Amino acid sequence: MHFSVILRVIGLLVMVFSVSLIPPIIVSLIYSDGALNAFLYALGINLIGGFLLWFPVRRERGELKIRDGFLVTVLFWTVLGLFGSVPFFLAENPELTFTDALFESISGLTTTGATILTGIDDLPQSILFYRQLLTWLGGMGIIVLAVAIMPMLGIGGMQLYRAETPGPVKDTKLTPRIAETAKALWYIYATLTTVCALGYWIAGMSLFDAICHSFSTVAIGGFSTHDESIGYFNSVAIEMICTFFMIVSAFNFALHFYAWRHKSVWHYFRDPEARFFLFILLSTCVLSTLVLAMTSTYDWSSSLRYAVFESVSIATTSGFGTTDFSSWPHFLPFLLIVTSFVGGCASSTGGGMKVIRILLILKQGMREIKRLIHPNAVIPVKVGGKAINERVVSAVWGFFSAYLLVYVVLMIGLMATGLDQVTAWSAVAATLNNLGPGLGDVSSSFTSVSDPAKWMLCFSMLLGRLEVFTLLVLFTPMFWQK
């Protein structure tokens, strides 16, 4: 383990992250919103903190090994969450405790979108912009951005990329060099954000709201500049734009790269994961529309409007809202939360267990049924006509088991703090799946949750963003053995 090299990397990246405080400072100057000092002090704290980490080991050089990559990834997300909370803690509006500030920071960086804030409309514009910016940086993964600049730091980045990239197969690269891959992903990410912002602006949002919501839409974060979220605008056009970009951002970004490189879109419909993802969305939208209309919750047109938006928002783990889905009749709130466990496609900005894993689990289940009929048959698990390596299938089942075990343990922990079963169940789902809103006491915000529960939920958000194993591996004795 190269601890000095790891410390040097963390210090450098914290100093690089401090640059993200400059845009909110500019916004504060433009609007004279009273939060300028909080961001200036935070900028100084981040720069000094990163410098103190980097300076003692500034001359250290070395190639990161796989274990170093895991440690850097986990440390950076936790350290960045800590430094990212400084503006929230120092700001006079809102007045947040350290726990609340850390919760809001980690929620943004992990693109969870769970919030402890109320009265969001009355917050300083720079605070609102900063929340959205944290979500945008976390969307593609700050580590991927770091990988793009790793050559300048003199450190290889493949280990970080493998540790942070979501999905069951970690070795897929769009370009021969990992730094070029990271840059390609960011070009696509920035382009989608720009087009989304323009769409919102044309549809009627103010320029400020358009930019802020484009950050959290493409990042599938769910933070908004208004308490009513997207419902504040009461615009079908805005909802359609939001729905489109939530779906696009939940696709595997490798598909976007292929579309950009080959000027084609047909591969989206040939990709088995994308097809299964669209099938889940369509099925949920149709079922929700029928239940809402047949129970007279809304008329048919409103049922279709709300069902499509909320189904896509929850299934992609975005967490935007146009209505209170937690008050919908019968099984619909439970159904929508369950869809968030599937989440987005691998290598997307979505949360959850990822569509490809669920698809592999279903195919593995079908294979076991066939083996009951033909015990001696060799039946491979295939996706898109290609046989999947048994090691990948085994890893998916291991991930699924760990995910459910972590879920149960966290739920019991939250219930031990006094939360009721529905609130605890949905709060873990909302954070572990990086969704945001839940049911019960956390349907709108997490303000009423106790501090011990918030710390557990911060851990849950990190577990979800780092896909469980990346974080849990640090708690095994084998990881620390030489």
Side-chain angles (χ1 to χ4, degrees), residues 239 243 246-247 280-293 297-315 320 322-325 328-329 332 335-336 339:
E239 291 167 23
T243 301
M246 284 190 293
I247 295 174
I280 292 172
L281 291 183
L282 181 61
S283 301
T284 308
C285 290
V286 170
L287 185 57
S288 298
T289 301
L290 290 174
V291 173
L292 290 174
T297 305
Y298 309 107
D299 57 44
W300 278 96
S301 61
S302 297
S303 295
L304 178 63
R305 173 185 175 182
Y306 292 131
V308 169
F309 186 88
E310 290 294 331
S311 296
V312 171
S313 177
I314 302 302
F320 285 121
T322 53
T323 185
D324 182 14
F325 80 94
W328 282 2
L332 286 185
L335 171 68
L336 294 187
T339 61

Side-chain angles (χ1 to χ4, degrees), residues 59-141:
R59 301 188 189 281
E60 297 293 334
R61 295 290 188 276
E63 181 68 23
L64 291 178
K65 305 300 181 183
I66 185 67
R67 290 195 297 175
D68 300 325
F70 282 115
L71 187 56
V72 168
T73 302
V74 173
L75 276 178
F76 188 62
W77 279 94
T78 51
V79 170
L80 191 58
L82 179 63
F83 279 95
S85 68
V86 176
F88 294 125
F89 183 66
L90 295 179
E92 295 180 0
N93 182 21
E95 262 188 84
L96 299 181
T97 64
F98 172 72
T99 297
D100 286 347
L102 184 67
F103 183 94
E104 198 74 12
S105 174
I106 291 179
S107 179
L109 284 168
T110 57
T111 72
T112 302
T115 183
I116 45 80
L117 297 176
T118 54
I120 294 174
D121 299 76
D122 300 323
L123 293 177
Q125 283 85 350
S126 55
I127 292 291
L128 295 175
F129 184 86
Y130 179 62
R131 291 172 77 237
Q132 308 296 113
L133 184 61
L134 282 179
T135 303
W136 190 75
L137 291 174
M140 179 55 65

Side-chain angles (χ1 to χ4, degrees), residues 436-447:
L439 304 175
D441 295 341
V442 295
S443 59
S444 58
S445 75
F446 287 69
T447 307

Side-chain angles (χ1 to χ4, degrees), residues 39-348:
F39 285 103
L40 289 174
Y41 290 143
L43 177 62
I45 291 171
N46 282 4
L47 279 174
I48 294 171
F51 179 80
L52 292 177
L53 289 173
W54 166 81
F55 187 77
V57 290
R58 64 191 182 282
R59 301 188 189 281
E60 297 293 334
R61 295 290 188 276
E63 181 68 23
L64 291 178
K65 305 300 181 183
I66 185 67
R67 290 195 297 175
D68 300 325
F70 282 115
L71 187 56
V72 168
T73 302
V74 173
L75 276 178
F76 188 62
W77 279 94
T78 51
V79 170
L80 191 58
L82 179 63
F83 279 95
S85 68
V86 176
F88 294 125
F89 183 66
L90 295 179
E92 295 180 0
N93 182 21
E95 262 188 84
L96 299 181
T97 64
F98 172 72
T99 297
D100 286 347
L102 184 67
F103 183 94
E104 198 74 12
S105 174
I106 291 179
S107 179
L109 284 168
T110 57
T111 72
T112 302
T115 183
I116 45 80
L117 297 176
T118 54
I120 294 174
D121 299 76
D122 300 323
L123 293 177
Q125 283 85 350
S126 55
I127 292 291
L128 295 175
F129 184 86
Y130 179 62
R131 291 172 77 237
Q132 308 296 113
L133 184 61
L134 282 179
T135 303
W136 190 75
L137 291 174
M140 179 55 65
I142 202 84
I143 298 298
V144 176
L145 176 63
V147 168
I149 64 170
M150 278 297 178
M152 291 185 289
L153 306 182
I155 300 167
M158 190 65 212
Q159 288 74 17
L160 298 185
Y161 181 78
R162 286 177 180 167
E164 202 278 337
T165 304
V169 181
K170 302 289 189 178
D171 295 327
T172 302
K173 293 187 289 184
L174 309 181
T175 60
R177 297 179 60 188
I178 185 59
E180 294 301 318
T181 298
K183 289 175 184 176
L185 291 173
W186 269 102
Y187 288 147
I188 296 168
Y189 190 61
T191 301
L192 287 175
T193 305
T194 303
V195 175
C196 182
L198 289 173
Y200 279 145
W201 190 36
I202 293 171
M205 280 190 185
S206 67
L207 183 60
F208 178 79
D209 279 342
I211 293 172
C212 287
H213 283 88
S214 69
F215 284 168
S216 54
T217 303
V218 176
I220 306 190
F223 272 162
S224 176
T225 55
H226 302 282
D227 285 309
E228 296 179 63
S229 191
I230 297 295
Y232 170 86
F233 303 99
N234 193 27
S235 167
V236 175
I238 288 174
E239 291 167 23
M240 290 175 63
I241 292 168
C242 186
T243 301
F244 173 79
F245 279 98
M246 284 190 293
I247 295 174
V248 168
S249 300
F251 278 132
N252 190 320
F253 267 62
L255 298 178
H256 301 327
F257 179 84
Y258 187 91
W260 170 62
R261 177 66 64 87
H262 297 278
K263 307 296 186 292
S264 172
V265 296
W266 295 111
H267 61 284
Y268 287 99
F269 303 101
R270 292 193 297 266
D271 183 74
E273 183 185 25
R275 290 203 307 266
F276 186 53
F277 173 60
L278 292 174
F279 171 76
I280 292 172
L281 291 183
L282 181 61
S283 301
T284 308
C285 290
V286 170
L287 185 57
S288 298
T289 301
L290 290 174
V291 173
L292 290 174
M294 294 175 69
T295 56
S296 300
T297 305
Y298 309 107
D299 57 44
W300 278 96
S301 61
S302 297
S303 295
L304 178 63
R305 173 185 175 182
Y306 292 131
V308 169
F309 186 88
E310 290 294 331
S311 296
V312 171
S313 177
I314 302 302
T316 59
T317 71
S318 298
F320 285 121
T322 53
T323 185
D324 182 14
F325 80 94
S326 66
S327 64
W328 282 2
H330 303 315
F331 58 87
L332 286 185
F334 178 81
L335 171 68
L336 294 187
I337 294 292
V338 168
T339 61
S340 72
F341 281 89
V342 180
C345 299
S347 296
S348 72

